Structure formats: structure tokens, C-alpha cells
Amino acid sequence: MGEWLLEEAAAGAGAKADPGLQAFDLCASLPSKNLVTSAPMGYQGQRPYSNLKRDLDDKESLVSEHKQKEKGNCRQSSAIFNVVNSITGSGIIGLPYSMQQAGLPLGILLLLWVSYVTAMISYNIITGDTLSKVFQRIPGVDPGNFFIGRHFIIGLSTVAFSLPLSLYRDIAKLGKASLISAVLTAVILIFVIVRVFTLGPYISRTEDAWVFAKPNAIQAVGIMSFAFICHHNSFLVYGSLEEPTVAKWSQVIHVSVMISAFISVLFATTGYLTFTGHTQGDLFENYCRNDDLVNFGRFCYGITVILTYPIECFVTREVIANVFFGGNLSQISHVLVTTVIITMATLVSLTVDCLGIVLEFNGVLCAAPLIFVIPSACYLKLSEERWIHPDKILASVMLLNGVIVMVVGFVMAVLHPQDCSHGQEMAYCFSTNVSFFNISSFLEPITQPPVLNISTF
């Protein structure tokens, strides 16, 4: 893995690219010299690299162009959708809550692996929480029915969808699935924006709802970091391009991040504006169960998460393949490793039902070091610039920021864990004196009986 990272780092730094990303790509290969490259990524669909001896020092690998262009079969548009899908998976649903809170190579690989598995666990939690509420709205269905419970839904979605999609060997095949996921994310965003105006005015604002930052804001930084961590998919997506070049990859990553940032800011802002201090780690936990508009959004989001899940599994499997199998998995090993990974993530998600806690701990323990600490530390070690150079000053600030987020965020998460609704209906959904705008009438507010009526049909 370290050898391959060194070669890929050379590919990603032809121009003066982002120092943090460069350092991350190179960091796992610091001890490597006089390398003989293998084909660690070949079994996932990219063509294997030739066994060429390289003698690049660390500085050259930071700034040299990739001399050997390997072709994949993925267009830039598909690559963009894969990256956007990676960023806007379970992260966006926790962003409103974050506003409410306002050996080196093996060590890095372990950190990455934990982050991937945690992401898979969070996807399963979201799937169970969202789809169970959707199926409860089916007429005549008992809310306590086992077959619409979160445990059964998680198991069924895993066997019927997540496992088959994760068994692909080429990430380029997920391009269409990522496109569908991106479209559904846009639909969900529209629903969330609509509810700012139709539901938000009827929910009481909490005390200090508009304070700029609260004591547990550090935990919010961890959640936001988790939302935007997509380093782990970068190698796979880069290698899947038809003609992987620095220029094309620069376009892919910049467009993807801009789209993801736009979607995330809208989700975070509109979600928090609706519920302020009531905001849960899983935004859909805030909406009432009889809200049919949001229930359709829940269904769309459940599909989105199911389609995002395989991307995380791809990279989780990739780490195991490179550490224990020399980068190559036979067909049988491929199936077995994939099945074991998914089974482990599924078992954990069946016992944990609080998404916010998962996002918090993954953010401060995995995302913060992967985004802030490791890239900055590697850049500071490898760069030959003077300490007063702006790039080194920025890297130092990022490193310090990452350490603070890790330490303080972990302490805050332990001492002040968030409250989760655990699938319970929110108090404002049972208000007896609430008027709510019934969208089906399009004309006038109506006074509701004991449970807030939010039906849109």
C-alpha cells in the first residue's frame, strides 16, 4: 500500500496542488525508497501497474507528474457523481445537528479502515430509521410489526441491495447508481426547504437558538469533517477515469467539492432553521411520522444511502486487500472479504440506534486526524520551504486545529453525549393547540386534533 501511495502521490502533484492532499497521498510511503511497484488496485477494475523500478525521493514525489497513465473506463461525469455521493452520504443528515452544537503506514490504514466501517454503520442506522417510519404509514400496518422494524429493514436492505452492489469489482460500475443518488438528494433537499416555511413557524424556538457558538461546537467540527472526508475514494475514482491526468482529476475534485458544499450548506441551514435546538443527529428524526411529504423524502434518502453504501465497502475491502493479500483478491477471497466486512458492520448497526453519537466519535477520532493532522504533519516534514512561508504557516494552523478538535471533541463527546430520540415521536408532534398549514388545501391553516396533521395528500 505504501509503495502504491508513493506512485499515486506523484500523479496527484504535477501542479502546485493542495499541500494537505499531497501530503496525505504521500504520508504512508515515507519509509519507501527504490520501490518495485505491484498492482494493489488492479483487482478492483483498474489495469495493474507494470513492475517498474522507481527511485524518487520524497520531494520529487510531491511535485512530479505521473509518467504512466493508466486508463479506466469511467467518464469524468461518473467520477464526479461518485465523489459527490461519497461526501453527501450520511454526512448531510447530521450537518443540521452540527450547527446545533456549533507504525505510520499501518496506523494510517487502520484509521482509514475504522472510518470506512463507521460510515457503513451510519448508513445502516439511517436506512433502518428512515424506512421504518415510511412503512409505518402504510394503511393497516401495525407500527409494532416486526417486518417494518429497523432490525428487519437493515437486514433485508443489506442482503437484497448493499451486498450485491458491493460485490462489484470495478467502482466505475457504481457511476449510474451515484447519479441516481445525487438526483434523489436534490429531491430531498427541496422537501427540507419546503418544510422550513410550512413547519418551522409552528415549532417553538429554543433558548439561545441563534448563539454563534456553544461549548460543544468542537463536536460539530468533527461531524462536518466526517461529512467531507472522501480521501479514501480518491484513489479508486482517479484510477477509474478513462484517461487519468492531473488536469482531469483537478476538475473532478473541484466540481465535486463545490456541489457537495452547496448541498451541505443548504441542508445544514434549512434543517437548523426548522428545528433550532430540537435538531437531532439524524434530521429525519425531527419530522413527525404522519408527514407524508417528508415520508417520501425519507424513502428517497433510504434509497440514496443504500446506493452510497457500496462505495465505502469498496475502500474498506481495498485496505484489507493491500494489507493482508498483497493487493490482489481471488474471486473467492473477494466474496468472502466483502461478506465479512458487511456482516460486521451490519451486526454493529443493529445494536446502535443513535446516529449522532456515531458521527461525533468518527469525526473526532478518524476524520479530524485524516483531514487536519496527518496531511499537515507530512507536509511540514517533507516541505523544504522556510517556516515563515505561508504554506507552512497554514499547515501548522491546520495541524494545531486538528489536535484541538481531536482532544477536546473526544472529551466533550464523552462528558456531554447528545440526546437521541431513539425513534420516538418529538413532543411538538403531539401538541394539542397547534395550527398547521395543510398543504393539500393550499389555502388556509387548520386546527388539528391531538396529533399534528402534516399530511400532504
Side-chain angles (χ1 to χ4, degrees):
M1 181 69 174
E3 300 170 356
W4 182 81
L5 284 170
L6 180 60
E7 187 169 353
E8 282 303 294
K16 190 177 179 67
D18 177 40
L21 181 59
Q22 293 173 358
F24 175 82
D25 292 346
L26 177 66
C27 191
S29 59
L30 292 178
S32 303
K33 295 280 185 179
N34 300 320
L35 304 178
V36 180
T37 61
S38 60
M41 305 296 288
Y43 88 95
Q44 296 256 80
Q46 293 86 343
R47 297 181 183 179
Y49 292 90
S50 303
N51 292 333
L52 301 176
K53 289 188 176 181
R54 299 289 179 92
D55 188 13
L56 299 175
D57 62 22
D58 295 332
K59 180 62 179 177
E60 289 176 336
S61 64
L62 257 178
V63 299
S64 62
E65 177 68 53
H66 199 315
K67 297 181 180 180
Q68 183 178 355
K69 303 290 192 306
E70 298 298 333
K71 292 185 178 181
N73 57 357
C74 181
R75 296 182 179 181
Q76 282 180 269
S77 58
S78 296
I80 290 173
F81 288 128
N82 276 333
V83 176
V84 170
N85 197 21
S86 174
I87 296 176
T88 60
S90 65
I92 56 172
I93 208 71
L95 285 173
Y97 170 72
S98 70
M99 291 191 66
Q100 187 264 336
Q101 294 204 316
L104 184 59
L106 288 179
I108 295 174
L109 288 176
L110 178 61
L111 205 60
L112 287 168
W113 190 84
V114 172
S115 179
Y116 311 152
V117 174
T118 306
M120 294 169 64
I121 294 171
S122 68
Y123 294 155
N124 278 335
I125 294 174
I126 293 172
T127 301
D129 288 343
T130 57
L131 294 184
S132 61
K133 292 181 175 60
V134 173
F135 296 146
Q136 287 175 9
R137 288 292 291 166
I138 299 176
V141 174
D142 180 7
N145 192 313
F146 171 78
F147 295 103
I148 64 169
R150 65 182 302 272
H151 293 85
F152 180 80
I153 290 175
I154 291 175
L156 179 63
S157 64
T158 298
V159 174
F161 300 102
S162 300
L163 180 58
L165 290 173
S166 299
L167 285 174
Y168 279 125
R169 299 173 73 92
D170 185 0
I171 197 172
K173 294 183 180 296
L174 298 178
K176 292 182 179 179
S178 294
L179 171 60
I180 296 173
S181 180
V183 172
L184 292 178
T185 299
V187 172
I188 299 164
L189 179 58
I190 293 173
F191 295 163
V192 173
I193 293 175
V194 168
R195 279 295 179 251
V196 174
F197 303 101
T198 59
L199 175 61
Y202 298 95
I203 298 178
S204 61
R205 295 292 177 258
T206 55
E207 185 180 357
D208 298 331
W210 307 113
V211 173
F212 175 73
K214 297 181 181 179
N216 52 356
I218 295 295
Q219 295 163 265
V221 176
I223 295 176
M224 289 185 280
S225 300
F226 169 73
F228 271 85
I229 187 170
C230 59
H231 305 57
H232 48 289
N233 297 323
S234 298
F235 297 146
L236 290 176
V237 177
Y238 175 84
S240 70
L241 290 171
E242 290 179 339
E243 295 181 1
T245 62
V246 172
K248 286 187 176 182
W249 177 245
S250 178
Q251 293 176 0
V252 167
I253 201 65
H254 281 87
V255 172
S256 301
V257 171
M258 285 191 294
I259 293 175
S260 301
F262 177 74
I263 294 174
S264 299
V265 168
L266 280 180
F267 258 104
T269 305
T270 55
Y272 182 76
L273 284 175
T274 306
F275 303 107
T276 59
H278 300 293
T279 307
Q280 296 291 304
D282 182 344
L283 180 61
F284 279 121
E285 288 289 292
N286 280 104
Y287 295 99
C288 304
R289 295 185 183 182
N290 63 343
D291 188 339
D292 292 327
L293 178 67
V294 173
N295 278 328
F296 183 66
R298 286 187 175 111
F299 178 77
C300 293
Y301 193 65
I303 300 301
T304 297
V305 168
I306 290 174
L307 295 178
T308 306
Y309 186 100
I311 296 180
E312 304 299 327
C313 184
F314 261 67
V315 195
T316 307
R317 181 176 61 219
E318 190 69 26
V319 171
I320 294 178
N322 282 280
V323 173
F324 298 105
F325 297 91
N328 295 286
L329 290 177
S330 65
Q331 184 63 36
I332 296 178
S333 298
H334 173 88
V335 174
L336 289 176
V337 170
T338 303
T339 303
V340 170
I341 293 172
I342 291 180
T343 300
M344 180 178 63
T346 301
L347 292 176
V348 175
S349 59
L350 290 174
T351 61
V352 179
D353 61 353
C354 188
L355 179 64
I357 292 177
V358 175
L359 297 180
E360 282 184 7
F361 280 102
N362 192 33
V364 298
L365 295 180
C366 296
L370 288 174
I371 291 179
F372 299 111
V373 178
I374 295 176
S376 302
C378 291
Y379 181 78
L380 291 173
K381 177 178 176 61
L382 299 174
S383 176
E384 296 178 356
E385 303 287 353
R386 299 177 61 188
W387 279 100
I388 59 174
H389 191 277
D391 287 347
K392 276 206 167 182
I393 294 176
L394 178 60
S396 300
V397 172
M398 289 181 61
L399 176 61
L400 178 62
N401 178 68
V403 172
I404 293 174
V405 170
M406 286 178 60
V407 177
V408 179
F410 178 77
V411 173
M412 293 295 294
V414 173
L415 297 180
H416 304 284
Q418 68 147 307
D419 295 327
C420 289
S421 65
H422 297 287
Q424 300 298 317
E425 193 81 299
M426 300 298 291
Y428 48 75
C429 294
F430 297 98
S431 178
T432 58
N433 57 354
V434 176
S435 295
F436 186 76
F437 189 82
N438 188 337
I439 297 180
S440 62
S441 69
F442 291 98
L443 292 175
E444 57 183 356
I446 63 175
T447 303
Q448 302 300 337
V451 178
L452 187 62
N453 185 352
I454 314 179
S455 176
T456 62
F457 304 105

